[in-house]
Amino acid sequence: GESVGLHLPTLSVQEGDNSIINCAYSNSASDYFIWYKQESGKGPQFIIDIRSNMDKRQGQRVTVLLNKTVKHLSLQIAATQPGDSAVYFCAEWTDSSYKLIFGSGTRLLVRP
Amino acid sequence: ETGVTQSPTHLIKTRGQQVTLRCSSQSGHNTVSWYQQALGQGPQFIFQYYREEENGRGNFPPRFSGLQFPNYSSELNVNALELDDSALYLCASSLVWRDVSTDTQYFGPGTRLTVL
């Protein structure tokens, strides 16, 4: 079956360091991958996305890398700030589908 | 903020009752998807509404039903509530053009439902 999962349930980093959150997926037919950030008591907030025909995409302080060979997705956050503390979800999508499939999430804790 | 709004923010019900949750989509979006998020887990897809019809459904029983209105807003109805229905219910809006999604899904803040 298809699944999207995460390697590390909790990641603790020092403020100012770079963070890397990883995600594995099993559906090689997925067309589109998205990272969401969810703060306590709020809905998931879109961070960055990447289509399956790309291997890297950069945003403001964030970079998503896609390795289709090993079915691996990562989110890199540069110069991590206290406001980055949240749960991060990767999600996958196929163009023929209508639903996002979410992983279980990684909690990012930023130490001052 | 995404522009997706949900009401109410919190709700407490007892087993066997019925509940209606509401969602207004982001301006320019014509599709609403509903997700259930249990504590400590990722959101699970319930169903999607497009052109006022259900456009796909996850592994949820028929007592979970929905509606979409001409202004693209949507309702999620849950009958015969069970304790396990306690969760955060999220709606997400997106744009579908010629039956193809053209944008990602943007989420509202959610409704926290507690079933006692």
Side-chain angles (χ1 to χ4, degrees), chain A residues 32 34 36 38 41-44 46 49 89 93 97-100 102-104, chain B residues 35 37 41-43 45 48 55-57 88 90 101 104-109:
Chain A
Y32 183 55
I34 308 164
Y36 286 95
Q38 188 173 26
K42 298 185 178 180
F46 172 85
D49 58 7
F89 293 98
W93 172 278
S97 180
Y98 38 75
K99 62 181 179 181
L100 286 167
F102 282 84
S104 56
Chain B
Y35 292 80
Q37 186 177 24
Q41 304 204 0
F45 176 76
Q48 182 184 81
N55 188 43
R57 190 177 186 94
L88 181 68
L90 297 160
S101 292
T104 192
Q105 296 188 0
Y106 294 92
F107 285 82

Side-chain angles (χ1 to χ4, degrees), chain B residues 73-108:
Chain B
S73 66
S74 177
E75 287 182 354
L76 165 65
N77 299 290
V78 186
N79 295 321
L81 283 167
E82 301 177 359
L83 296 180
D84 285 349
D85 295 333
S86 294
L88 181 68
Y89 288 85
L90 297 160
C91 79
S93 74
S94 57
L95 177 64
V96 173
W97 173 248
R98 294 183 178 175
D99 297 333
V100 176
S101 292
T102 61
D103 196 5
T104 192
Q105 296 188 0
Y106 294 92
F107 285 82

